[in-house]
Structure formats: C-alpha cells, structure tokens
Coordinates of all heavy atoms in Angstrom, one line a residue:
L1 N 0.8 -1.3 0.0 CA 0.0 0.0 0.0 C 0.9 1.3 -0.1 O 0.6 2.3 -0.7 CB -1.0 0.1 1.2 CG -2.1 -1.0 1.2 CD1 -2.9 -1.0 2.4 CD2 -3.0 -0.6 0.0
A2 N 2.0 1.2 0.7 CA 2.8 2.5 0.8 C 3.5 2.6 -0.6 O 3.6 3.8 -1.0 CB 3.9 2.1 1.8
L3 N 3.7 1.6 -1.4 CA 4.3 1.7 -2.7 C 3.2 2.2 -3.7 O 3.5 3.0 -4.7 CB 4.9 0.5 -3.3 CG 6.1 0.1 -2.5 CD1 6.6 -1.2 -3.0 CD2 7.2 1.0 -2.7
A4 N 2.0 1.8 -3.4 CA 0.9 2.3 -4.3 C 0.4 3.7 -4.2 O -0.1 4.3 -5.2 CB -0.4 1.3 -4.1
V5 N 0.6 4.2 -3.1 CA 0.2 5.7 -2.8 C 1.3 6.5 -3.3 O 2.4 6.5 -2.9 CB -0.1 5.9 -1.3 CG1 -0.4 7.3 -1.1 CG2 -1.2 5.0 -0.8
P6 N 1.0 7.5 -4.3 CA 2.0 8.3 -4.8 C 2.5 9.3 -3.8 O 1.7 9.9 -3.1 CB 1.4 9.1 -6.0 CG 0.0 8.9 -5.7 CD -0.3 7.7 -5.0
G7 N 3.8 9.6 -3.7 CA 4.4 10.6 -2.7 C 4.3 11.9 -3.4 O 3.8 12.0 -4.5
S8 N 4.7 12.9 -2.7 CA 4.6 14.2 -3.2 C 5.7 14.3 -4.4 O 6.9 13.8 -4.2 CB 5.0 15.2 -2.2 OG 6.3 15.0 -1.7
A9 N 5.3 15.0 -5.5 CA 6.2 15.1 -6.6 C 7.3 16.0 -6.3 O 7.1 17.0 -5.4 CB 5.4 15.7 -7.8
A10 N 8.3 16.0 -6.9 CA 9.5 16.8 -6.7 C 9.2 18.3 -7.1 O 8.3 18.5 -8.0 CB 10.7 16.4 -7.6
T11 N 9.7 19.2 -6.4 CA 9.4 20.7 -6.7 C 10.0 20.9 -8.0 O 11.2 20.7 -8.2 CB 10.0 21.5 -5.6 OG1 9.6 21.1 -4.4 CG2 9.8 23.0 -5.9
P12 N 9.2 21.5 -9.0 CA 9.7 21.8 -10.3 C 10.9 22.8 -10.2 O 10.9 23.7 -9.3 CB 8.6 22.5 -11.0 CG 7.4 22.0 -10.3 CD 7.8 21.7 -8.9
R13 N 11.9 22.7 -11.1 CA 13.0 23.6 -11.0 C 13.0 24.6 -12.2 O 12.7 24.2 -13.4 CB 14.3 22.7 -11.2 CG 15.6 23.4 -10.9 CD 16.7 22.5 -11.0 NE 17.6 23.0 -11.9 CZ 18.8 22.5 -12.1 NH1 19.2 21.4 -11.5 NH2 19.6 23.0 -13.1
L14 N 13.4 25.8 -11.9 CA 13.6 26.9 -13.0 C 15.1 27.2 -12.9 O 15.7 27.3 -11.8 CB 12.7 28.0 -12.7 CG 11.2 27.8 -12.7 CD1 10.4 29.0 -12.2 CD2 10.7 27.2 -13.9
V15 N 15.6 27.7 -14.0 CA 17.0 28.2 -14.1 C 17.0 29.6 -14.6 O 16.6 29.8 -15.7 CB 17.8 27.2 -15.0 CG1 19.3 27.8 -15.1 CG2 17.8 25.9 -14.5
A16 N 17.5 30.5 -13.7 CA 17.6 31.9 -14.1 C 19.1 32.2 -14.3 O 20.0 31.7 -13.6 CB 17.1 32.7 -13.0
T17 N 19.3 32.9 -15.3 CA 20.8 33.3 -15.7 C 20.8 34.8 -16.0 O 19.9 35.3 -16.7 CB 21.3 32.5 -16.9 OG1 21.1 31.1 -16.6 CG2 22.7 32.9 -17.2
V18 N 21.7 35.5 -15.4 CA 22.0 36.9 -15.8 C 23.5 37.0 -16.1 O 24.3 36.5 -15.3 CB 21.5 37.9 -14.7 CG1 22.3 37.6 -13.4 CG2 21.7 39.3 -15.1
G19 N 23.8 37.6 -17.3 CA 25.2 37.7 -17.8 C 25.6 36.3 -18.3 O 24.9 35.3 -18.2
P20 N 26.8 36.2 -19.0 CA 27.7 37.4 -19.2 C 27.1 38.3 -20.3 O 26.1 37.9 -21.0 CB 28.8 36.6 -19.8 CG 28.4 35.4 -20.4 CD 27.2 35.0 -19.6
G21 N 27.6 39.4 -20.4 CA 27.0 40.5 -21.3 C 25.7 41.0 -20.8 O 25.4 40.8 -19.6
D22 N 24.9 41.4 -21.6 CA 23.7 42.0 -21.4 C 22.5 41.1 -21.7 O 21.6 41.2 -22.4 CB 23.4 43.3 -22.2 CG 24.3 44.4 -21.8 OD1 24.9 44.3 -20.6 OD2 24.6 45.3 -22.5
T23 N 22.6 39.8 -21.0 CA 21.6 38.8 -21.1 C 20.9 38.4 -19.8 O 21.5 38.5 -18.7 CB 22.2 37.5 -21.7 OG1 23.2 37.0 -20.8 CG2 22.9 37.8 -23.0
I24 N 19.7 38.1 -19.8 CA 18.9 37.6 -18.7 C 17.9 36.6 -19.2 O 17.1 36.9 -20.1 CB 18.3 38.8 -17.9 CG1 17.7 38.4 -16.6 CG2 17.2 39.6 -18.7 CD1 17.4 39.5 -15.6
T25 N 17.8 35.5 -18.5 CA 16.8 34.4 -18.9 C 16.2 33.8 -17.7 O 16.8 33.7 -16.8 CB 17.4 33.4 -19.8 OG1 18.5 32.8 -19.1 CG2 18.1 34.0 -21.2
L26 N 15.0 33.2 -17.9 CA 14.4 32.2 -17.1 C 13.8 31.2 -17.8 O 13.0 31.4 -18.7 CB 13.3 33.0 -16.2 CG 12.5 32.2 -15.2 CD1 13.5 31.7 -14.1 CD2 11.4 33.0 -14.6
R27 N 14.4 30.0 -17.5 CA 14.0 28.9 -18.3 C 13.6 27.7 -17.4 O 13.9 27.7 -16.2 CB 15.1 28.4 -19.1 CG 15.6 29.4 -20.0 CD 16.8 28.8 -21.0 NE 17.2 29.8 -22.0 CZ 16.7 30.0 -23.2 NH1 15.6 29.3 -23.5 NH2 17.1 31.0 -24.0
T28 N 12.8 26.8 -18.0 CA 12.5 25.5 -17.3 C 13.7 24.6 -17.2 O 14.6 24.9 -17.8 CB 11.3 24.8 -18.1 OG1 11.9 24.3 -19.2 CG2 10.1 25.5 -18.3
A29 N 13.6 23.5 -16.4 CA 14.8 22.7 -16.3 C 15.1 22.0 -17.6 O 16.2 21.6 -17.9 CB 14.5 21.6 -15.3
A30 N 14.1 21.9 -18.5 CA 14.3 21.4 -19.9 C 14.9 22.4 -20.9 O 15.3 22.0 -22.0 CB 13.0 20.9 -20.4
G31 N 15.1 23.6 -20.4 CA 15.6 24.6 -21.2 C 14.7 25.6 -22.0 O 15.0 26.5 -22.7
A32 N 13.3 25.3 -21.8 CA 12.4 26.2 -22.5 C 12.2 27.6 -21.8 O 12.1 27.6 -20.6 CB 11.1 25.5 -22.6
P33 N 12.2 28.7 -22.6 CA 11.9 30.0 -22.0 C 10.5 29.9 -21.3 O 9.5 29.3 -21.7 CB 11.8 31.0 -23.1 CG 12.4 30.2 -24.3 CD 12.2 28.8 -24.1
V34 N 10.5 30.6 -20.1 CA 9.2 30.6 -19.2 C 8.4 31.6 -19.7 O 8.8 32.9 -19.8 CB 9.6 30.8 -17.8 CG1 8.3 31.1 -17.0 CG2 10.3 29.6 -17.2
R35 N 7.2 31.4 -20.1 CA 6.1 32.4 -20.5 C 4.9 32.3 -19.6 O 4.3 33.2 -19.1 CB 5.7 32.2 -21.9 CG 6.9 32.5 -22.9 CD 6.6 32.7 -24.3 NE 7.5 32.8 -25.3 CZ 8.8 32.7 -25.3 NH1 9.5 32.5 -24.2 NH2 9.5 32.8 -26.4

C-alpha cells in the first residue's frame, strides 16, 4: 500500500541566468523559456 500511494512530486526547477554580457533568462529545467 505504501508503494501504491504516490508521494509528493519533486518541486519543479527553474533556471535563471544573468550575464555574461547583457543577457537575462528564466527557463524551465528542460531549457524552454518561461512564459
């Protein structure tokens, strides 16, 4: 029964990058831009 009951899913991850240069992004863990 313990195996059959799903546990809490992992917290989704986002990746934010600023620099180098004049760049800023926020992407999903898979690399897609966040909209």
Side-chain angles (χ1 to χ4, degrees):
L1 287 174
L3 291 175
V5 175
S8 62
T11 304
R13 185 177 127 172
L14 303 174
V15 179
T17 305
V18 61
D22 295 336
T23 62
I24 190 165
T25 61
L26 181 62
R27 298 183 179 275
T28 65
V34 170
R35 295 195 189 2

